[in-house]
Amino acid sequence: EVQLVESGGGLVKPGGSLRLSCATSGFTFSISSINWVRQALGKGLEWVSSISPGSTYIYYADSVKGRFTISRDDAKRSVYLQMNSLRAEDTAVYYCVRLADTGAGSYYFDFWGQGSLVTVSS
Amino acid sequence: YGLAQPLSVSVALGQTARISCGGNNIGSKSVHWYQQKPGQAPVLVIFSDSNRPSGIPERFSGSNSGNTAALTISRAQAGDEADYYCQVWDSSAAGVFGTGTKVTVL
């Protein structure tokens, strides 16, 4: 069974930092791309970041570029999201998701974690 | 790249609901759909325009042409009440989601 489990969320002050972790099981992690998607309370889904196998390709949404860093540890089957210079608008549930390849240049999110709530407030 | 969805769609129990997803020449892209029930993570219901993952009922179907993609829910059930999001993968290597549609089953 494919599982992705997020941890590390919580309350942080504006300008502060937080590190999210995503522990995975049930699939071949080393050949999988993993993404982060977030959702503010009562709002829609927003793609945040993507990391490919071997960390060869890393991408960020413009809204977090320069502040967030995605990384992976294949030995631990885990992905991390280091979030610095946090703002109130970063408040959201952060989902760890596995990226699937259609084989035709498109990608979708086939398995999702349950999410980790990050609250940025003074 | 922006994807526009209606804010809400209502459907009578047992009838058919259609959720649109509009984007510039979206027919040239692969469109994927997610269902999200309150307090839960999204679940993939359609990938690559019209393919259903294992475990998704045949009542869910998808289409994509021109500037509009659509998710159709046939024989709607109370359990289909949820928010639905379309998604494409942008050429800038980013995931792009639609604005989301709340489906109400009357």
Side-chain angles (χ1 to χ4, degrees), chain A residues 46-66:
Chain A
E46 179 188 15
W47 175 82
V48 173
S49 183
S50 178
I51 187 165
S52 70
S55 303
T56 305
Y57 301 104
I58 290 176
Y59 304 104
Y60 300 98
D62 287 342
S63 57
V64 306
K65 201 172 293 182

Side-chain angles (χ1 to χ4, degrees), chain A residues 51-113:
Chain A
I51 187 165
S52 70
S55 303
T56 305
Y57 301 104
I58 290 176
Y59 304 104
Y60 300 98
D62 287 342
S63 57
V64 306
K65 201 172 293 182
R67 299 187 299 122
F68 289 12
T69 302
I70 192 172
S71 62
R72 62 189 294 156
D73 183 335
D74 285 4
K76 295 183 178 179
R77 300 179 54 89
S78 294
V79 170
Y80 309 96
L81 187 68
Q82 177 66 43
M83 304 182 293
N84 298 332
S85 303
L86 283 162
R87 308 165 180 168
E89 54 264 37
D90 295 318
T91 295
V93 174
Y94 285 73
Y95 294 102
C96 176
V97 294
R98 192 179 78 167
L99 192 67
D101 185 352
T102 64
S106 181
Y107 302 85
Y108 58 94
F109 309 107
D110 60 350
F111 289 97
W112 297 63

